[in-house]
Amino acid sequence: MSSLYGRLFRYRATNGRTPLEDYTSECLADFFNRLPATVQKQLALVFVPDLLRVRFEAATSEVAVFSLEVQQWIPEGRIDLVLCADGRPIVAVENKIDAPLQPDQLARYGRWISAEHYPELPGVVCLLTHLTGAPEGFQDGGAATGGATPHLLSWPALSVSLLNLANSAAADVKLLATELFSFLGENGMNNEFAGRDDYAASIVYLRSGARMYHTFHSIYLHLKSLKGCFYRSRMVNERSLEFHTQQKLIWGYTFLTHSGFNDLFFGYGIALDPSSTFKQGRIPSRDSVFICVGAEDKRTIQAIRASAPLVRAPWTYAETTGWTTVVTFKPMSEFLEEPDSFVPKMKAWINDNAEDVNEFVSKLE
C-alpha cells in the first residue's frame, strides 16, 4: 500500500506549476508546523549551513514558535518556503526536484531574505533539491545569492532527518515522519543514485532500444510522407526518437513548413504524468500519448500564444519548459493494449488530424 501522502497526491489539483514540487512544499510545511517547538528547532537546523548552526541555536534559544510558511509572495516573485522564528524570516527555501531554476531566482530571494531576516542571524537562501544543480557561483555567495548566506540541501539528506525523527519521536510525530519518508521513497527522492530498479530498467532499455527506435522512426517517416505543412526536407536537428528525462517524454519531432516561421515543429509520442510537464491547458494526469504543434523561438512562441483563443477541443494550448505548444492527448492504455498496433494507431490519429494541423499552421502570423 502506498503512503498516506502518496494516496493524497493521487487526488491533487494542478494549477500550472509542477505538482510534485508544490505538493512536497505543502507536505513539508504541514509536517513541520505540527511539530512541538523543541522538535521544530531540531529539524530547523537542516535549513542552515553547518557554519551557522551554533550561532543559530544561540540566537533562537528564546524563540517560542518556529514555522514554515508556504508560497511567500515578495516583490520579485514567490518563494516556495520561508522558515520563520516568532514570525521573523530566517531562511528562504527554493524547492526544486528536477526542474530548472529561473535566471537570478536565488539571487532575488537572497536579496529579500537579507533585508527581512531575523535580527541576530544573517539571512540564508537554501536550495532544497533532488536532481536540479545549484547555479554557478551559488556556494560562494555574493551576487549569486543576493548577499545572503548560501545553503545547499538535498531531499535525500532531509529524508535522513525525517527517518531519525521517525526513530526517536513521540508516536504521532513518528507516524507522520514515517509516512512522509515513505512518500519521498515512492517518488525516488530519498536517494540521488541509481537503485536496483533503475539498473533493471536500463538493461531492459538497451535490449529494446533498437525496437523502440524502429517504432518511432516509422511514425517519423509517415510524417515525412504527408503533404501541406508536413512537406519539408529532413533537418539535421530533427529527432525520430528522444528520451527527455526531466520532461518525462518519449517522443520525436519533425519541422513544419511555414513562410514566416522556421522553427515550427510537429511532435508525437508518450508523456508520462503529462500534468507535471505541460501547463495551462486541459492536461490529463495519467500517462498519455500525444501529438502537438510547438515552437521554441520567441517570435514563433508569440504566434502560437496569440492563437490560443482559437484552439478547440480536443486540442489545447499549453506551455512547458523551453517551448510552447498546441497539443492533444489520448490515454496511453488505448494504444498499448496491443503493442503491435501502436504505430498503425498513431499514423491513423495523425492522418485524422492532418487537415486541422495544416489549417492551424496556415493561420499563424
Side-chain angles (χ1 to χ4, degrees):
M1 179 181 291
S2 63
S3 65
L4 167 65
Y5 290 101
R7 294 196 296 277
L8 292 173
F9 187 57
R10 289 173 54 198
Y11 302 101
R12 70 198 186 280
T14 61
N15 62 352
R17 302 187 72 231
T18 305
L20 187 57
E21 288 177 354
D22 284 349
Y23 185 72
T24 50
S25 295
E26 294 283 356
C27 289
L28 184 58
D30 178 78
F31 171 74
F32 184 89
N33 294 333
R34 292 175 184 271
L35 298 174
T38 53
V39 182
Q40 283 183 333
K41 186 173 182 179
Q42 176 186 346
L43 186 57
L45 287 171
V46 303
F47 294 106
V48 297
D50 291 344
L51 60 87
L52 276 183
R53 290 192 175 183
V54 172
R55 187 175 171 186
F56 177 90
E57 289 184 294
T60 60
S61 60
E62 302 300 322
V63 169
V65 178
F66 289 93
S67 63
L68 264 180
E69 305 299 327
V70 185
Q71 308 299 345
Q72 172 74 52
W73 282 100
I74 64 172
E76 294 188 271
R78 180 169 58 178
I79 305 175
D80 290 330
L81 294 160
V82 176
L83 176 66
C84 297
D86 286 337
R88 293 294 302 273
I90 300 177
V91 183
V93 182
E94 173 61 17
N95 175 19
K96 285 294 180 189
I97 295 173
D98 58 9
L101 288 158
Q102 300 170 16
D104 298 323
Q105 185 175 6
L106 297 177
R108 287 184 275 118
Y109 298 168
R111 287 192 291 271
W112 178 82
I113 196 70
S114 294
E116 301 288 336
H117 65 85
Y118 194 76
E120 290 78 15
L121 290 168
V124 174
V125 59
C126 172
L127 175 58
L128 173 58
T129 179
H130 179 41
L131 299 177
T132 300
E136 185 176 355
F138 175 76
Q139 295 284 53
D140 299 327
T145 62
T149 301
H151 181 45
L152 188 61
L153 173 64
S154 70
W155 271 105
L158 182 56
S159 296
V160 171
S161 296
L162 292 172
L163 187 60
N164 291 338
L165 277 177
N167 291 333
S168 62
D172 53 348
V173 173
K174 180 175 183 176
L175 174 62
L176 287 178
T178 301
E179 292 291 336
L180 186 50
F181 177 82
S182 298
F183 174 72
L184 295 176
E186 290 164 4
N187 286 275
M189 293 169 60
N190 59 2
N191 199 321
E192 296 169 307
F193 298 99
R196 184 180 291 107
D197 290 346
D198 301 302
Y199 287 111
S202 297
I203 292 168
V204 169
Y205 167 68
L206 287 175
R207 290 172 175 165
S208 64
R211 291 190 293 274
M212 286 292 290
Y213 176 80
H214 176 73
T215 298
F216 276 70
H217 193 64
S218 298
I219 300 169
Y220 171 83
L221 292 176
H222 176 70
L223 286 166
K224 284 299 186 184
S225 72
L226 299 178
K227 304 300 182 183
C229 67
F230 296 94
Y231 187 75
R232 184 171 179 176
S233 58
R234 180 184 174 95
M235 305 287 288
V236 67
N237 51 347
E238 290 179 339
R239 297 289 184 273
S240 56
L241 174 61
E242 181 174 88
F243 290 81
H244 198 304
T245 304
Q246 287 190 341
Q247 294 186 347
K248 303 175 187 175
L249 299 180
I250 306 170
W251 73 316
Y253 52 90
T254 179
F255 287 97
L256 301 174
T257 298
H258 190 284
S259 59
F261 306 111
N262 197 45
D263 72 314
L264 203 62
F265 64 81
F266 184 89
Y268 57 92
I270 296 171
L272 305 179
D273 188 18
S275 60
S276 69
T277 298
F278 297 95
K279 311 300 178 188
Q280 298 190 23
R282 298 178 298 276
I283 312 299
S285 58
R286 295 189 176 184
D287 298 346
S288 303
V289 295
F290 71 95
I291 54 176
C292 70
V293 176
E296 295 179 306
D297 177 76
K298 183 177 181 181
R299 195 169 68 88
T300 318
I301 284 175
Q302 289 173 344
I304 292 180
R305 189 173 289 151
S307 73
L310 305 177
V311 176
R312 297 290 179 264
W315 292 82
T316 186
Y317 171 82
E319 296 185 1
T320 186
T321 304
W323 50 286
T324 295
T325 186
V326 172
V327 60
T328 182
F329 300 91
K330 284 190 175 184
M332 188 171 72
S333 58
E334 292 183 10
F335 284 68
L336 295 184
E337 287 174 343
E338 298 178 11
D340 290 345
S341 68
F342 179 80
V343 171
K345 286 183 177 179
M346 287 294 292
K347 289 180 179 179
W349 190 27
I350 291 168
N351 290 344
D352 290 343
N353 286 274
E355 185 176 340
D356 290 339
V357 171
N358 276 311
E359 182 181 358
F360 174 77
V361 170
S362 69
K363 292 180 178 179
L364 288 177
E365 56 184 24

